[in-house]
Amino acid sequence: MSDLLSAPAEAEGFASVERSFAKVDGLVVPVRGHRAGGFELYYPGREEFNTDGMNFTFRIFQQLGAWDESVLLVLLKLLGQRGKILLPDPVGPNLRHVRQQLNAGGEALAQATVLLSGTSYSEILRNMGLSTAGRGRRLLRESLQRLSAITLWIKHRSGAEGSSNLLVAQAAPNGDLLISIHYLLARAFLSESHWARIDLGERWHLSSDIAKILHRWLSAWLDEGETKPARLSTLERHVWGNAATGLDRARRFSDLKAAFREIESIGTGWIVAGTDQRGDCTCRITRPLRSTSVANEAVLPALDVQGEMPIEASLSATINVERV
């Protein structure tokens, strides 16, 4: 976009993302022109389970791109800063209304989530380093629609399973937004171990969608100060969600090498060795070690009947899109 602020003071900090979610392949891809829609995505496979014993089914209204990912990361940053825990069976009618909007079923009914109130289109855009004027507001609203239309079904190896909306956004006439999220995403704030930190200050220095998506995946895969090897063919699936052939694959490998150069040029200490090799080479990737460790320190209060918000009066317009 051309609506960048000259000094995006709010566009810094970290987003805490549930680690399993942050490593899903094919949910966010480099989008050019047409967005695929009305499909299901299985991760790690239709009948497979990840290392946490979970199987994901995403029912997707419209394909997500790097812009949508940026919106979600900013929302997760704000949720970590001032979100509140929304318990499975809240006392007040307004909070029960928010829970109902998540369309939770099965095991999801028994899971706590996190709620963000009092944000706005303008605050989200400022946190993305963008001007609040121009086309940003329209693009942001479209992104919230895409995110709100995704349903995530989680099946555990133990047999427990349940479904819920990925995100619910409600807009008031005065511009205030209320955001609630799927319980899996909430684990980044309610768990001591199931989270990854995405440096948003680094992300905003990246210009290509491929570099942004790769940076997010690497930030979930690598701990700070850690070095690991990875083949380009492996990273290709993590960025595009599939493998190409022939000239398309060669082009993707070239794009990945360019993305690595972008990430290294941030200047925070990312190091990538091996990109000078030809073909499907193996790169050694080092994530910088911070001089001061920032823990996942969000201590979020639980909402109760005293914390009721006047949803009926001010937050009446749910951002809806047609379901798949």
Side-chain angles (χ1 to χ4, degrees):
M1 289 183 62
S2 61
D3 306 318
L4 285 171
L5 295 173
S6 57
E10 298 179 43
E12 299 292 339
F14 295 84
S16 295
V17 188
E18 206 282 338
R19 192 178 292 268
S20 295
F21 179 87
K23 293 166 69 176
V24 170
D25 296 341
L27 180 62
V28 178
V29 297
V31 174
R32 293 183 178 178
H34 174 72
R35 293 176 183 265
F39 63 96
E40 291 187 344
L41 172 68
Y42 305 97
Y43 186 82
R46 187 183 289 266
E47 299 296 335
E48 300 175 41
F49 295 90
N50 68 3
T51 55
D52 292 329
M54 294 190 296
N55 172 275
F56 304 155
T57 299
F58 293 87
R59 295 185 175 93
I60 298 172
F61 163 74
Q62 196 176 56
Q63 200 166 40
L64 301 181
W67 165 265
D68 306 295
E69 182 176 74
S70 293
V71 171
L72 181 59
L73 290 175
V74 165
L75 292 177
L76 292 173
K77 169 191 167 181
L78 296 175
L79 280 157
Q81 290 175 342
R82 62 174 193 266
K84 294 184 179 180
I85 299 170
L86 183 58
L87 298 174
D89 189 19
V91 176
N94 296 333
L95 297 179
R96 285 202 301 271
H97 172 76
V98 175
R99 288 288 311 194
Q100 291 166 0
Q101 291 297 311
L102 283 167
N103 295 320
E107 190 205 29
L109 285 170
Q111 303 293 327
T113 185
V114 181
L115 181 72
L116 173 67
S117 61
T119 189
S120 65
Y121 289 107
S122 295
E123 181 181 32
I124 296 169
L125 289 169
R126 287 195 302 270
N127 274 272
M128 295 174 70
L130 298 173
S131 169
T132 58
R135 59 178 177 153
R137 184 182 178 91
R138 174 181 60 81
L139 293 174
L140 175 54
R141 189 176 190 278
E142 292 173 356
S143 182
L144 289 174
Q145 289 177 330
R146 281 190 289 272
L147 291 166
S148 297
I150 293 177
T151 301
L152 172 55
W153 181 279
I154 298 181
K155 181 167 61 176
H156 294 263
R157 197 187 301 273
S158 64
E161 51 190 334
S163 177
S164 183
N165 282 27
L166 183 68
L167 178 148
V168 168
Q170 295 179 337
N174 66 359
D176 284 350
L177 288 175
L178 182 76
I179 306 292
S180 49
I181 56 174
H182 189 281
Y183 74 88
L184 175 76
L185 292 174
R187 292 207 317 174
F189 311 107
L190 306 178
S191 165
E192 294 182 356
S193 59
H194 295 289
W195 56 277
R197 291 172 63 245
I198 313 298
D199 189 326
L200 297 184
E202 291 181 345
R203 184 181 178 88
W204 308 140
H205 282 87
L206 301 171
S207 58
S208 74
D209 288 355
I210 295 169
K212 291 174 182 177
I213 295 169
L214 180 60
H215 175 268
R216 179 263 304 159
W217 191 88
L218 292 174
S219 298
W221 181 56
L222 289 167
D223 291 329
E224 293 179 355
E226 188 175 24
T227 299
K228 286 183 181 180
R231 295 189 69 84
L232 291 182
S233 54
T234 301
L235 297 172
E236 176 193 18
R237 293 195 301 274
H238 297 322
V239 172
W240 284 274
N242 56 27
T245 57
L247 290 177
D248 287 338
R249 167 164 270 200
R251 188 177 298 110
R252 285 185 177 183
F253 287 175
S254 176
D255 288 343
L256 284 170
K257 292 178 180 180
F260 275 133
R261 290 193 292 271
E262 269 197 74
I263 292 172
E264 283 189 296
S265 70
I266 296 171
T268 56
W270 284 90
I271 301 172
V272 184
T275 57
D276 56 336
Q277 304 173 62
R278 293 186 178 182
D280 184 14
C281 61
T282 298
C283 303
R284 290 190 60 82
I285 308 151
T286 301
R287 185 180 182 183
L289 179 64
R290 298 291 168 184
S291 58
T292 57
S293 177
V294 181
N296 190 39
E297 57 189 14
V299 180
L300 306 180
L303 286 165
D304 55 23
V305 68
Q306 286 79 25
E308 274 284 281
M309 294 165 290
I311 296 173
E312 296 94 347
S314 63
L315 293 167
S316 56
T318 301
I319 298 176
N320 286 321
V321 292
E322 185 177 348
R323 296 287 168 191
V324 178

